[in-house]
Amino acid sequence: MEGEHSRSRTLCDAPPVRPHPAAPGFVSWSYINLESPMNTVLSLESRAFTRRPAYPLLGIVSRPLVRCLALAAACLTLAAGCASSRNTGVAQLPRDAEPQILRSGDVVKISFPRTPTLDTTQQVRRDGKINLYLVGEVRAADLSPAELEKQLLELYASELVSKEVRVTVVSSAFSVFVTGAVVRPGKLTPDRTLTAFEAVMEAGGFDNTKADTKAVTVIRNEGGQTKNYTVNLKAVLEGKQSEPFYLQAYDVVYVPERFSWF
C-alpha cells in the first residue's frame, strides 16, 4: 500500500510542462501511460521532443509562407535563366569601327589634288564598277574607300603630278531591316550609312509600352556566319555618351520586348 500511495503522490506532483535543459526554446511533454485496464499500475514518463518548437502555431503558419518563398525563388531563377539564355552566343561589340565597304548604288567623289581635271563623281553600278576618264572601267564594289584610293594611284601613276587620290562617299545605298517592338517594322533603304539608333528612329521609334531598349540585337552575316551584337540604346535615349554602332548592308535590327510577370 505504501508503494501504491507513493506512486500516486508522484503522479500528482509531476509538472505538466517544463523547459528542456539541453535545448533552449523547446519543451518536454509529460503524459501518463496507462498500462493496465484496471489502472492498478500507473507510471509517469517524460519524453523530450526536441524537434517541436516552443510556439507550435508559428510553425504551422510558417510552412505555407516558406513554400511561397521557395516558389518565388524558383520563378526568379527560371526568369534569370531565360534572360541569360537569350544572350548566349552573342558576340562582343567590335571596339574599332569597321571600314566602310562600297556597294552597288553608292555615290563616290574621286578627287585628284593638283590635277583637278580628273575629278569626278560616280555611282557604283549594279555590276560593281565605275567608269573613269583615261583608265576605263574600275571595280569599286566590295572595296573600302582606302583600297579604291590605292588602286587608283596605281592606275593613274603616270598622269598625276602629286601621288594623291581621295575617295569620299557622298551617299551610301543599302538595305537594313528593323523588327520587334518598334512602331513601323520593315525594310529600310537609306541613301547613307545608318547607326542602329537611327534605324530604329526611321522605323517610327520604340514601342514604349513593351520595348527593351537596353538589349537591342543587331543580327549580321559575316563570312558566311551569323553573329549577334547586343546594343544598349537606352543610354542613347538618356543622353549618355556612347559609341555609335554603324549598320552594314542587310543587317537586321531586333528590338525585344521587356520581360513581364503579367
Side-chain angles (χ1 to χ4, degrees), residues 83-163:
S84 61
S85 64
R86 183 177 58 187
N87 296 328
T88 301
V90 175
Q92 297 294 327
L93 290 176
R95 295 183 178 180
D96 299 327
E98 296 182 357
Q100 185 178 11
I101 302 299
L102 299 176
R103 292 178 174 82
S104 299
D106 290 354
V107 178
V108 294
K109 179 180 180 181
I110 303 174
S111 302
F112 298 87
R114 299 183 63 179
T115 314
T117 56
L118 296 177
D119 291 355
T120 183
T121 300
Q122 298 272 337
Q123 183 178 30
V124 181
R125 302 195 309 251
R126 290 183 179 273
D127 60 1
K129 296 180 180 181
I130 55 177
N131 195 346
L132 300 178
Y133 179 63
L134 296 179
V135 296
E137 293 187 347
V138 177
R139 183 167 185 83
D142 301 325
L143 298 178
S144 67
E147 291 172 338
L148 181 57
E149 289 176 357
K150 182 178 180 181
Q151 183 176 347
L152 294 178
L153 277 175
E154 296 175 358
L155 294 174
Y156 282 97
S158 60
E159 305 293 335
L160 299 179
V161 177
S162 63
K163 303 299 182 180

Side-chain angles (χ1 to χ4, degrees), residues 12-77:
C12 296
D13 296 339
V17 178
R18 62 183 180 278
H20 195 278
F26 296 89
V27 298
S28 298
W29 301 82
S30 300
Y31 65 96
I32 299 174
N33 183 14
L34 301 178
E35 297 181 353
S36 171
M38 301 301 295
N39 296 337
T40 55
V41 179
L42 300 176
S43 64
L44 179 69
E45 296 181 3
S46 176
R47 297 182 182 180
F49 295 88
T50 57
R51 295 290 183 181
R52 183 185 297 274
Y55 305 98
L57 182 59
L58 180 60
I60 295 173
V61 174
S62 62
R63 286 181 182 177
L65 179 60
V66 170
R67 292 175 182 173
C68 291
L69 292 175
L71 179 60
C75 292
L76 289 175
T77 303

Side-chain angles (χ1 to χ4, degrees), residues 91-92 94 98 219-229 245 248 251:
Q92 297 294 327
E98 296 182 357
I219 305 171
R220 176 175 296 171
N221 192 323
E222 293 182 346
Q225 295 183 346
T226 301
K227 294 186 179 181
N228 294 348
Y229 296 93
F245 187 92
Q248 295 183 5
D251 280 355

